[in-house]
Amino acid sequence: MLSRTAENLYWLARYVERAEYLARTIDATLRVTALPAAYIGKTNEWDSALLTAGVAASFYQTYEEANEHNVVDYLSFSVDNPSSIRNCIEAARLNSRSVRTALTSEMWDTINAAWIELQAVWSKGTSTREDLAKFLRFVQETSLRFDGSAYRTMLRNDAYWFSRLGLHLERADNTARILDVKYHVLLPEEEHVGGPLDFYQWSSILRSVSALTAYHWVYRETLKPWLVADLLILNSTLPRSLASCYDNLTRNLDQIGVAYGRQGPAQRHARGIRNRLEHSNMNDIFQHGVHEFIQEFITDNSRLGEIITKQYLI
């Protein structure tokens, strides 16, 4: 496979996953801000949404206040935000068009139809909460259809493996950033862990990764920060957990290594991160510091992306 083709497949999957993640983040933030002030305290949930998405600095170059209208517009429709949902879908379509022959017809139809609907229906944004809810459902359903099409119709060859690399690398980064923002931004210093504010913020985080029901299935008790962290970091049965992402990343990189007859730094780096997750427990993570652990993970995850690029995509 040409490195350019592999790069297009890799970034196609990343952009689709990022668009869904942003839609889930907005949806979760809307749910929290709809609660009475007594439940959500004095925190600015829209500011936390920007920090989670990693675009706070660029946002404040354009807007003065992080409110619902400004943040939704910037994360969803802004042409000036490279990571907005609109730009992610457009970039995904450009990448898919470049590798049209490497995609199945179902995958291409999903991305192309989403791009056409984006231009025809959502080009001017949304004017009501109802329209916004429809838009967020449209984005999430597009991602689910694309992911399902890839899983059900692609040959298990290098095209499939490179697209999975992009998906799981992006997913791991998103989950880690959500956790990091929770521990350092959302909960005010005067609030006690386990209070009403804490409960609703953790609920919003689990909703943003579609894991609220899974939490109750696994732990069968009320929301507790250390159990939520355990689920999202170490529980490999949850598809969006860090452990699950690295199980998949390691497996796909190994399959690429076998196909091309050579292992390399990407395989070694991914195995190192997976082994560290496998041998970690929440007591050690809390003693070391959750923020420090997650920041180290984000750095290592970003480094893996750089190594994959150097090893395969350029």
Side-chain angles (χ1 to χ4, degrees):
M1 175 179 287
L2 293 174
S3 60
R4 180 178 297 177
T5 301
E7 181 182 24
N8 288 137
L9 290 165
Y10 170 85
W11 280 105
L12 165 58
R14 290 199 70 163
Y15 282 126
V16 174
E17 180 69 18
R18 188 175 302 175
E20 182 190 3
Y21 154 73
L22 289 170
R24 288 178 178 277
T25 298
I26 294 170
D27 183 57
T29 306
L30 285 168
R31 288 176 181 271
V32 174
T33 57
L35 293 168
Y39 288 98
I40 63 175
K42 300 178 181 179
T43 58
N44 185 346
E45 298 291 334
W46 292 109
D47 195 45
S48 72
L50 292 170
L51 289 165
T52 303
V55 296
S58 59
F59 172 85
Y60 285 111
Q61 292 177 2
T62 305
Y63 298 96
E64 295 183 357
E65 181 184 1
N67 54 36
E68 178 181 335
H69 177 270
N70 292 344
V71 174
V72 167
D73 179 70
Y74 193 72
L75 293 182
S76 300
F77 306 107
S78 175
V79 295
D80 298 322
N81 174 14
S83 294
S84 69
I85 292 173
R86 172 184 179 145
N87 283 339
C88 283
I89 293 177
E90 187 165 353
R93 201 255 184 178
L94 289 171
N95 279 280
S96 63
R97 190 173 62 179
S98 299
V99 290
R100 175 68 185 85
T101 56
L103 302 178
T104 64
S105 59
E106 290 84 359
M107 295 171 69
W108 164 253
D109 288 344
T110 298
I111 293 299
N112 194 49
W115 181 78
I116 291 172
E117 182 172 344
L118 183 69
Q119 304 299 314
V121 180
W122 307 110
S123 60
K124 296 182 180 179
T126 58
S127 55
T128 66
R129 278 276 184 95
E130 183 179 0
D131 283 344
L132 178 58
K134 290 179 181 178
F135 172 74
L136 297 178
R137 283 198 300 272
F138 151 72
V139 176
Q140 293 180 55
E141 288 171 0
T142 295
S143 177
L144 289 171
R145 285 198 299 269
F146 180 80
D147 193 43
S149 297
Y151 182 78
R152 287 171 176 264
T153 63
M154 288 189 80
L155 292 172
R156 281 1 184 213
N157 57 15
D158 47 1
Y160 179 80
W161 299 325
F162 277 114
S163 70
R164 296 297 92 180
L165 288 183
L167 181 147
H168 291 295
L169 199 71
E170 185 69 28
R171 183 173 292 178
D173 183 74
N174 295 340
T175 299
R177 289 181 184 279
I178 289 171
L179 273 171
D180 196 41
V181 168
K182 164 59 187 175
Y183 270 97
H184 283 265
V185 176
L186 286 180
L187 191 64
E189 292 181 0
E190 67 270 15
E191 290 289 338
H192 296 291
V193 173
L197 173 58
D198 200 45
F199 175 85
Y200 285 107
Q201 288 170 344
W202 281 113
S203 297
S204 72
I205 288 170
L206 289 173
R207 288 183 185 278
S208 68
V209 294
S210 196
L212 184 58
T213 301
Y215 175 90
H216 292 297
W217 282 345
V218 172
Y219 302 106
R220 300 187 182 279
E221 54 181 295
T222 58
L223 298 182
K224 296 178 180 178
W226 53 92
L227 294 182
V228 175
D230 178 71
L231 180 70
L232 298 186
I233 295 174
L234 301 179
N235 194 317
S236 60
T237 63
L238 182 74
R240 292 182 181 274
S241 73
L242 306 187
S244 176
C245 288
Y246 266 82
D247 283 347
N248 285 287
L249 282 165
T250 303
R251 184 181 307 113
N252 289 313
L253 279 167
D254 285 345
Q255 289 170 320
I256 291 172
V258 171
Y260 292 130
R262 186 176 63 180
Q263 299 285 319
Q267 284 81 5
R268 292 190 292 272
H269 190 74
R271 280 196 292 269
I273 298 174
R274 187 193 63 177
N275 290 339
R276 187 160 66 251
L277 290 168
E278 285 181 345
H279 293 91
S280 296
N281 61 69
M282 288 314 302
N283 289 332
D284 293 339
I285 291 174
F286 272 95
Q287 289 177 3
H288 176 66
V290 176
H291 173 67
E292 288 73 17
F293 180 89
I294 295 174
Q295 280 295 310
E296 183 179 351
F297 175 86
I298 291 173
T299 300
D300 286 340
N301 191 62
S302 178
R303 176 61 181 156
L304 178 60
E306 295 172 0
I307 295 171
I308 289 172
T309 297
K310 291 179 180 179
Q311 187 170 334
Y312 294 113
L313 308 183
I314 57 175

